[in-house]
Amino acid sequence: MGQNAADAEQSAHLRKRIRSWQRAALPGSGTGTAHGKVILLGEHAVVYGAPALALPVPSLGCRARVACRFPGEGRVVGFRMVQLPPGVPSGPFLPPPHITEGPIPEGLHMVVSALLRRAELQVLPGVDILLESGVPPARGLGSSAACARAVTHALDDLLGLQLSSEAVFECVQSSETAVHGQASGIDALATGSRRPVLLAGGHVSTPAVGADGWIVVVDSGSGASTKEAVAMLRDSFAAHPGSRERFLDHSTALTLAGLRSMAGGRLAELGRRLTDCHQLLAGLGLTTERTDSLVDAALTGGALGAKMSGGGLGGCVIALAATEPEADALAALLLREHGVRCWTTRLVREAEHAGT
Ligand code: MEV
């Protein structure tokens, strides 16, 4: 055997040994979860540092499963996304899930590359990703952040990185910035929190909630990307000097008033701030005929307040109810008369916390 052949055989042998070591060292697969969110007050203004309040929607779940593939050299060798009918388990009489197979979205690709680099492996595996999401996309429910968060946790599990909550946030936020262009971080935070999230000037805390309440989340049936809505507003502010400051002042006043009402358990007052916030966002062209009419229908149906939520230009409307039976009755009415999908999430009474 010549020297070259001997070297090739030795390096092949070495690669094989490293591969088996990698297989033994890595658990082979990892799982991660996250969930949807709604914005109660302060969307868009939060992009410019003003306060905003978000609420998790745990019933809209997202799960990622990742597996190592050898050889892979750090590439995403497989990506499948299963969009589940939200809030319900799959079954024979339900619409089939929508399955996307193919290239991984850019934001998620960044997450995979960053975490593989962080793992400092001698031989990089390929990564196969299966995402199962019950968070409807383009409805202002935090779908992109929930997917990025679930993939981050799954890779953390796979690679044994033991990421801190700050490192997880950084990963999700870098993906969000790639997807939205300009992202405040509130979606990245709320899709991993079990409590309401207050983000103000880059500072995160858990606001006080003085009374239990219920939020009905109503899908308007159409939506646009948050990137589009954020860019539309940025262009409009640039074209109308002073409009940005007026919007931020008004939004801040509403959010702070809403926080005081929520802390004091005055839900009717909080509801009025939600409706005021809808009017403010409507004045900027962020609502549609459909979201405006769903807000009217919710208010006529007895909601304490109602508004668009998230990026807007379609998406979801949220409505506040004081009790679970009231929320159920509201959801039933909206479903019967407007044919919309509804989910509910809770506002749980609790004291203020410094962090989430
Ligand atoms: C999207 O859920 C909320 C926006 O304010 C964008 C952001 O905060 O990144 C529209």
Side-chain angles (χ1 to χ4, degrees):
M1 188 187 295
Q3 189 57 44
N4 285 350
D7 283 350
E9 191 178 300
Q10 199 184 8
S11 71
H13 180 66
L14 208 61
R15 276 204 303 275
K16 209 166 146 189
R17 282 196 58 194
I18 291 171
R19 275 204 295 272
S20 67
W21 173 80
Q22 289 286 359
R23 277 196 207 97
L26 292 171
S29 66
T31 311
T33 58
H35 49 255
K37 66 88 192 80
V38 289
I39 307 270
L40 241 53
L41 288 162
E43 53 270 270
H44 286 287
V46 67
V47 172
Y48 301 91
L53 175 60
L55 203 60
V57 185
S59 60
L60 296 178
C62 180
R63 181 173 57 180
R65 278 185 275 199
V66 295
C68 276
R69 296 282 178 260
F70 291 94
E73 289 143 15
R75 282 175 300 116
V76 176
V77 294
F79 177 74
R80 275 149 301 142
M81 173 143 177
V82 182
Q83 191 68 53
L84 301 168
V88 285
S90 48
F93 305 113
L94 292 166
H98 179 75
I99 302 177
T100 314
E101 212 161 336
I104 183 170
E106 196 202 331
L108 297 182
H109 190 263
M110 285 174 61
V111 169
V112 175
S113 307
L115 292 181
L116 283 176
R117 265 199 314 278
R118 195 174 179 127
E120 294 181 340
L121 300 170
Q122 280 173 298
V123 177
L124 286 176
V127 179
D128 193 7
I129 301 176
L130 171 64
L131 252 177
E132 294 165 285
S133 181
V135 190
R139 295 291 191 273
L141 295 173
S143 157
S144 59
C147 290
R149 181 171 272 280
V151 168
T152 301
H153 284 309
L155 284 164
D156 187 15
D157 185 27
L158 173 75
L159 301 168
L161 296 170
Q162 297 185 321
L163 297 175
S164 63
S165 55
E166 289 78 16
V168 171
F169 169 78
E170 290 304 330
C171 249
V172 180
Q173 183 58 2
S174 66
S175 166
E176 283 292 276
T177 307
V179 176
H180 294 167
Q182 206 177 352
S184 65
I186 197 155
D187 289 12
L189 292 162
T191 51
S193 175
R194 293 275 153 193
R195 294 166 158 162
V197 174
L198 172 63
L199 179 64
H203 178 75
V204 191
S205 59
T206 305
V209 181
D212 291 339
W214 289 84
I215 296 288
V216 181
V217 184
V218 184
D219 183 1
S220 76
S222 71
S225 74
T226 301
K227 184 177 188 167
E228 206 178 308
V230 169
M232 187 197 96
L233 217 53
R234 192 177 50 234
D235 293 347
S236 157
F237 289 150
H240 302 96
S243 58
R244 189 179 99 162
E245 290 65 29
R246 282 194 295 279
F247 166 62
L248 295 183
D249 285 351
H250 195 161
S251 178
T252 300
L254 287 178
T255 303
L256 296 182
L259 284 166
R260 283 192 296 272
S261 309
M262 191 171 80
R266 299 185 296 279
L267 291 187
E269 215 176 84
L270 172 63
R272 284 196 290 279
R273 298 298 82 83
L274 299 190
T275 311
D276 292 345
C277 182
H278 180 79
Q279 299 306 341
L280 175 65
L281 298 167
L284 293 171
L286 288 164
T287 66
T288 61
E289 254 178 56
R290 180 79 169 148
T291 51
D292 288 343
S293 76
L294 286 171
V295 165
D296 290 344
L299 293 173
T300 309
L304 298 174
K307 66 182 279 286
M308 60 152 270
S309 178
L313 302 177
C316 282
V317 158
I318 58 170
L320 177 65
T323 66
E324 189 174 13
E326 282 166 18
D328 288 346
L330 193 56
L333 177 116
L334 291 165
L335 181 66
R336 195 171 56 245
E337 292 183 14
H338 300 268
V340 289
R341 299 187 294 179
C342 297
W343 308 277
T344 48
T345 190
R346 286 184 66 192
L347 196 56
V348 181
R349 181 187 178 132
E350 72 167 332
E352 193 165 356
H353 293 266
T356 49

